[in-house]
């Protein structure tokens, strides 16, 4: 059984569109999530110096573990943001200030259909949005390329 190259191209493009689109929908829908009060279990700032590509500087990421209750069921999480890249800072003071603001709010946002899916900060940065939007556009481009190849064959 021979697989048409067009089929492989369509599948690859479709997977990119689904992945990027699903991520955009998740981030967008998180702005309408419900709120619950949190009890902070642990809060700290972690220095990460894994960025050797860019000259080896450190970034500082807030690490917050918290508990919350929905419908009588307790949940424990350490998800600060669905946009994980958007909660690290180039200065430790910025990370500490961000952590203090988020903990001070004392609120977690959760998906009412799946209360275990939560974040202390909803939405996402424009950098992350452009990342997923680019994935969707790339997937559409690959699908169009597949149509072109199918036309030629």
């Amino acid at each position: 059984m021979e697989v048409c190259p067009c089929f492989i191209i369509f599948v690859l493009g479709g997977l990119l569109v689904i992945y990027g689109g699903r991520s955009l929908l998740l981030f967008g829908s998180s702005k309408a999530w419900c709120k619950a009060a949190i009890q902070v279990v642990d809060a700290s700032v972690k220095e990460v110096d894994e960025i050797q590509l860019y000259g080896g500087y450190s970034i500082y990421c807030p690490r917050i573990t918290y508990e919350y209750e929905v419908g009588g069921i307790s949940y424990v999480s350490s998800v600060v943001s669905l946009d994980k890249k958007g909660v690290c800072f180039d200065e430790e003071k910025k990370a500490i200030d961000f952590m203090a603001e988020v903990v001070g709010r004392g609120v977690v946002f959760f998906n009412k259909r799946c209360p275990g899916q939560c974040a202390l900060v909803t939405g996402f940065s424009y950098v992350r949005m452009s990342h997923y939007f680019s994935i969707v556009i790339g997937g559409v481009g690959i699908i169009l390329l597949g149509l072109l190849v199918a036309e030629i064959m």
Side-chain angles (χ1 to χ4, degrees):
M1 182 174 150
E2 190 176 318
V3 177
C4 175
C6 303
F7 177 74
I8 295 170
I9 292 172
F10 286 133
V11 168
L12 178 63
L15 288 174
L16 287 173
V17 168
I18 290 168
Y19 173 74
R22 182 181 171 277
S23 298
L24 286 171
L25 288 174
L26 174 64
F27 285 130
S29 70
S30 70
K31 289 190 175 244
W33 283 2
C34 301
K35 295 178 186 179
I38 62 168
Q39 183 73 30
V40 176
V41 175
D42 185 45
S44 63
V45 173
K46 181 180 179 187
E47 181 179 2
V48 181
D49 56 351
E50 299 174 2
I51 305 182
Q52 298 301 321
L53 269 152
Y54 304 109
Y57 66 88
S58 295
I59 57 173
Y60 301 89
C61 305
R63 303 285 189 236
I64 305 167
T65 303
Y66 51 92
E67 298 175 340
Y68 63 102
E69 189 175 303
V70 176
I73 301 172
S74 293
Y75 297 89
V76 177
S77 181
S78 57
V79 177
V80 175
S81 172
L82 297 174
D83 181 8
K84 292 174 181 61
K85 302 278 186 194
V87 294
C88 291
F89 301 89
D90 59 348
E91 295 176 19
E92 187 174 19
K93 181 177 179 352
K94 289 179 184 176
I96 291 170
D97 291 346
F98 173 83
M99 187 173 60
E101 176 190 337
V102 169
V103 169
R105 259 189 263 142
V107 172
V108 65
F109 299 91
F110 67 91
N111 184 343
K112 68 180 174 186
R113 286 182 268 162
C114 178
Q117 187 178 35
C118 65
L120 294 174
V121 179
T122 59
F124 54 100
S125 68
Y126 290 112
V127 171
R128 182 65 51 199
M129 182 174 68
S130 66
H131 170 79
Y132 287 115
F133 189 69
S134 297
I135 290 173
V136 170
I137 295 299
V140 170
I142 290 172
I143 291 171
L144 292 174
L145 177 66
L147 288 172
L148 181 65
V149 170
E151 191 69 31
I152 292 172
M153 296 182 115

